Amino acid sequence: MAKKEVKKVVLAYSGGLDTSIILKWLQDEYNAEVVTFTADIGQGEEVEPAREKALKMGIKPENIFILDIQEEFVKDYVFPMFRANTIYEGEYLLGTSIARPLIAKKQIEIAEKVGADAVAHGATGKGNDQVRFEIGYLSLNPNITVIAPWREWDLNSREKLLRYAEKHGIPIEKHGKKSPYSMDANLLHISYEGGILEDPWAEPEESMWRWTVSPEKAPNEPEYIEIGFENGDPVSINDSAMSPATILRTLNEYGNKHGIGRIDIVENRFVGMKSRGCYETPGGTILLKAHRAIESITLDREEAHLKDSIMPKYAELIYNGFWFSPEREALQALIDNTQKNVNGTVRLKLYKGNVEVVGRRSPNSLFDANYCTFEEDEVYNQKDAEGFIKLNALRFIIKGRQK
């Protein structure tokens, strides 16, 4: 298929080898003016070096965008997702998935600002990210042209990429031994794929994990923390009010210290194959436990059960890239409506990879000791239970009499 004519393209640019090659490839193959966008979403690496690399590749200073979007990421993407207690396939806290719609949104905003007619990304043709980026782009601007180099070029091995870089004078930085894993990081998590993880029987080496201490080497004494909630979102840790990004960053520090948040899973990719990945989500693991705990005393039973029943669909929508879809927004409206009374404080004990809820209190608590006490009470007539049970058993009684 012939390439569509493109004048200016906004590239999601990390400054690494792959996106530097893509930058040069776009200039050569499309003869297009390239605009670079580098997002700081708390990946823990310096993003400013991307500016110097882009300049060396001939990018005009006014065409280089480096944005710190950590607060927006946590406030408008991570926290709404956690209001739903979202996990994909029972374990994955969607750390990569939830970052893609924000990056796509910023690319489209920049494209509109600079008058670009195309956007480009560095996701491969085998993964989920190509879907997440491109559905995001087209949801926000259906007329934008999308360029996915991995689906067009023949640079399908690291050796070919290195030869291309050498031929075109693209600097290859060497920082000692290269990690054998494909990794993605942001303020919510870090992921690992490839290498020995492609054998689902092989245990990952301890040296693979970059954030969390091994649970075996975590402190021998537990640590207690308290998380305050308002309308379903965390607002404080140990009575200290913090911004959304600061809360997640602080919870990451606690989780890293105590070996919390490691998982090793085989997941079903949207494109069809199974994929084995390892993840560290320290702060998110703590937050999920705390949020469920505060909901346990503030949500009506059927409200809570309804949330639990729709959560897998909500998680699937995020995983598959449908953040901007009307169905996700409809589910979000329902979820957010349940959070108006999710206020209070949860006390947690952190110890050697575990998060244990040891206390919860709320001004909106539905927990009433007068009703549930095992001691004598004056509000609950236990004889009422007989009729309740018989009515619920009536269909079984009628069926049983037919035998």
Side-chain angles (χ1 to χ4, degrees):
M1 187 173 68
K3 289 184 173 65
K4 187 172 181 179
E5 184 177 344
V6 168
K7 295 180 180 179
K8 185 182 289 189
V9 55
V10 179
L11 168 66
Y13 181 67
S14 70
L17 178 62
D18 287 7
T19 53
S20 293
I21 289 174
I22 290 173
L23 191 162
K24 176 61 177 173
W25 183 87
L26 289 170
Q27 292 171 328
D28 290 348
E29 294 294 318
Y30 282 86
N31 194 28
E33 183 178 3
V34 178
V35 177
T36 63
F37 164 53
T38 305
D40 183 354
I41 48 178
Q43 55 265 47
E45 297 179 350
E46 288 291 328
V47 294
E48 275 301 322
R51 187 186 308 277
E52 290 302 316
K53 293 178 182 178
L55 288 170
K56 290 178 180 177
M57 298 287 290
I59 305 301
K60 300 174 183 177
E62 63 269 24
N63 282 345
I64 299 173
F65 291 82
I66 298 177
L67 302 178
D68 184 341
I69 52 177
Q70 296 181 65
E71 291 291 349
E72 183 177 358
F73 173 53
V74 180
K75 177 179 179 291
D76 295 337
Y77 293 81
V78 175
F79 281 3
M81 182 176 72
F82 272 82
R83 289 177 211 141
N85 302 318
T86 312
I87 49 176
Y88 177 70
E89 296 187 336
E91 293 188 88
Y92 177 36
L93 290 172
L94 297 169
T96 297
S97 314
I98 195 60
R100 297 327 190 201
L102 176 56
I103 294 172
K105 175 174 175 281
K106 293 301 179 184
Q107 272 185 272
I108 294 299
E109 289 175 356
I110 292 169
E112 293 172 351
K113 181 177 180 178
V114 303
D117 51 354
V119 289
H121 63 76
T124 75
K126 281 189 174 183
N128 298 303
D129 279 341
Q130 59 180 336
V131 183
R132 295 165 182 156
F133 281 128
E134 294 179 37
I135 289 180
Y137 299 149
L138 297 172
S139 297
L140 298 167
N141 184 344
N143 297 315
I144 200 77
T145 295
V146 178
I147 302 174
W150 281 94
R151 299 203 300 262
E152 294 186 26
W153 66 20
D154 62 354
L155 305 176
N156 53 10
S157 70
R158 183 161 180 82
E159 290 72 23
K160 289 183 178 180
L161 289 171
L162 291 173
R163 284 200 298 269
Y164 184 95
E166 183 177 1
K167 178 181 178 181
H168 294 279
I170 300 171
I172 303 170
E173 297 184 5
K174 296 181 180 179
H175 300 289
K177 185 179 179 182
K178 177 180 169 57
S179 170
Y181 304 102
S182 172
M183 297 182 292
D184 175 80
N186 58 49
L187 200 52
L188 181 57
H189 89 153
I190 183 170
S191 65
Y192 310 88
E193 292 181 309
I196 66 166
L197 299 181
E198 292 181 356
D199 175 3
W201 184 253
E203 179 179 2
E205 312 102 327
E206 179 59 34
S207 60
M208 180 193 74
W209 307 101
R210 296 204 169 192
W211 284 7
T212 57
V213 66
S214 166
E216 294 91 338
K217 296 181 180 179
N220 292 322
E221 296 296 326
E223 186 169 7
Y224 291 82
I225 64 171
E226 294 183 1
I227 302 177
F229 287 87
E230 290 182 6
N231 299 321
D233 291 341
V235 295
S236 66
I237 298 176
N238 297 333
D239 291 326
S240 295
M242 301 177 185
S243 72
T246 305
I247 281 179
L248 186 53
R249 192 176 298 111
T250 302
L251 290 178
N252 280 339
E253 292 170 359
Y254 281 114
N256 292 341
K257 175 182 177 182
H258 292 280
I260 293 165
R262 294 183 178 186
I263 61 168
D264 178 344
I265 62 175
V266 174
E267 66 199 62
N268 289 294
R269 286 184 180 172
F270 191 25
V271 294
M273 78 271 291
K274 291 184 182 290
S275 174
R276 195 260 188 105
C278 292
Y279 301 91
E280 292 175 276
T281 319
T285 301
I286 296 170
L287 179 56
L288 177 65
K289 192 81 168 183
H291 186 258
R292 291 199 68 94
I294 195 63
E295 282 193 330
S296 73
I297 61 171
T298 57
L299 287 190
D300 170 79
R301 180 188 71 184
E302 295 307 313
E303 193 177 32
H305 291 181
L306 177 61
K307 277 191 75 230
D308 282 346
S309 71
I310 66 173
M311 184 277 289
K313 178 61 177 178
Y314 179 90
E316 184 180 272
L317 289 171
I318 295 175
Y319 185 85
N320 291 345
F322 292 90
W323 177 263
F324 297 111
S325 68
E327 61 269 34
R328 199 284 305 176
E329 292 175 349
L331 289 178
Q332 192 72 59
L334 187 156
I335 291 160
D336 291 351
N337 187 65
T338 69
Q339 300 297 289
K340 57 185 180 293
N341 290 323
V342 182
N343 308 304
T345 304
V346 176
R347 188 169 70 249
L348 304 160
K349 181 166 71 172
L350 314 178
Y351 181 65
K352 289 192 177 295
N354 295 303
V355 185
E356 183 179 349
V357 177
V358 294
R360 68 288 273 166
R361 64 187 177 196
S362 170
N364 306 108
S365 178
L366 300 175
F367 184 93
D368 191 333
N370 291 319
Y371 281 92
C372 62
T373 181
F374 282 91
E375 304 301 327
E376 184 178 356
D377 71 82
E378 297 180 355
V379 296
Y380 185 86
N381 186 347
Q382 297 196 28
K383 293 181 180 179
D384 291 343
E386 182 178 355
F388 172 79
I389 294 168
K390 284 186 175 179
L391 286 175
N392 276 279
L394 183 59
R395 59 195 175 102
F396 305 119
I397 294 171
I398 293 172
K399 184 177 181 180
R401 287 175 177 171
Q402 293 177 344
K403 294 180 181 179

